[in-house]
Amino acid sequence: MRGHPARDGWCIFGRAVDPDLIGRVDAELDARFAATPLCQGAFYGERTKRFGSLLTRSRGIAQLVMHPRVLAVVEQALLPSCERISLNLTQAIEIHPGALPQLPHRDQDMWGGPKGGIEYLVNVMWPLTTFTRTNGGTRLWTGSHIDDPDSPLPEDDSVVPTVLPGDALIFLGSTLHGGGGNTGSAPRRGIVISYCLGWLKPFELQWLVYPPAVARRFSPDLAALVGYAQHRPNLGNVEGQSPAILLADDVPDYLPAIDALRPDQTALAAAFIRGQRGGRD
């Protein structure tokens, strides 16, 4: 592994998957890339194509989303600040020749909370074609996750690591980054999969992208990651229960609300009830 997220704000997990898997994903997405219009707006890039909902567009995406070693890195960064992580985004990106560099940004700025004390998300970039400085590879500012976010950083301070299909480029939501300008002759394709704190509203509304009729085909762990699970205490429920109830073949019309508390909250609530009953339990 090149780099270290805590020290540098990014790292590369070399040969994280077999490049043949990436080739199959690329082939499955090819028609969608061809049909998708170019983006509108300076941030998304007017010589760039983007589309999401990737779990329904390629069978191999689930293997990338649920990659155990990648998830271990993500959870190490995020679980200190949440009870469970959530899928934030799956997006395919194609940067065409002539594209200008993207505005440097930190993805954590999607949310208005205080910055610097916690990590809000972790991005994982999976190249479909080799990333280089020439074709618009991702620019990263090493150590920017610990810099003053209000201080501009010179473009010359950025690095553009070469990343191959099968590699995973992992970077924190607090790391300054941006897509590069494509001065080459061919498009640069990649997939970004990002994960956020389980109590945040995700960038891509997973529950609409993967409604119950779709999500019931997912494994339980993947369904939970896209939002069919509660974040204790009781956050994200349906009629007071885990939204996973919606994945059942038959959903009752009437459901009892069931506590989903952390162990410390369960103990506190039980102690309070004992006190109200005069310690008779």
Side-chain angles (χ1 to χ4, degrees), residues 70-220:
V70 169
L71 284 175
V73 174
V74 172
E75 290 178 345
Q76 185 176 23
L78 298 183
L79 283 183
S81 302
C82 64
E83 196 265 335
R84 64 181 306 121
I85 65 170
S86 292
L87 187 65
N88 182 58
L89 166 73
T90 64
Q91 187 180 81
I93 304 171
E94 185 178 70
I95 298 179
H96 283 241
L100 298 175
Q102 188 184 33
L103 174 73
H105 60 285
R106 293 173 170 87
D107 285 343
Q108 66 178 11
D109 292 340
M110 291 184 291
W111 299 288
K115 307 303 190 299
I118 64 173
E119 288 296 335
Y120 286 76
L121 78 156
V122 178
N123 290 306
V124 185
M125 185 70 76
W126 297 91
L128 299 179
T129 56
T130 298
F131 282 20
T132 68
R133 183 177 290 275
T134 298
N135 71 3
T138 303
R139 296 135 58 228
L140 298 155
W141 278 259
T142 300
S144 57
H145 62 305
I146 55 177
D147 288 333
D148 180 357
D150 295 325
S151 298
L153 296 175
E155 182 68 36
D156 289 346
D157 287 356
S158 67
V159 297
V160 182
T162 298
V163 194
L164 306 176
D167 296 347
L169 171 61
I170 304 172
F171 55 99
L172 302 176
S174 56
T175 298
L176 191 70
H177 70 283
N182 189 342
T183 60
S185 59
R188 186 225 80 177
R189 283 184 179 180
I191 289 169
V192 61
I193 296 172
S194 72
Y195 310 82
C196 65
L197 301 174
W199 43 266
L200 287 172
K201 183 178 183 178
F203 179 92
E204 183 181 44
L205 283 176
Q206 305 296 319
W207 319 282
L208 296 181
V209 171
Y210 309 114
V214 173
R216 66 170 50 104
R217 301 197 298 267
F218 294 167
S219 70

Side-chain angles (χ1 to χ4, degrees), residues 252-267:
D253 288 334
Y254 302 94
L255 294 166
I258 301 173
D259 283 342
L261 305 177
R262 298 192 308 266
D264 61 309
Q265 295 169 324
T266 298

Side-chain angles (χ1 to χ4, degrees), residues 83-84 229-243 256-267 269:
E83 196 265 335
R84 64 181 306 121
Q230 291 186 89
H231 187 287
R232 296 182 296 184
N234 298 324
L235 181 63
N237 73 80
V238 172
E239 297 290 358
Q241 291 199 23
S242 168
I258 301 173
D259 283 342
L261 305 177
R262 298 192 308 266
D264 61 309
Q265 295 169 324
T266 298

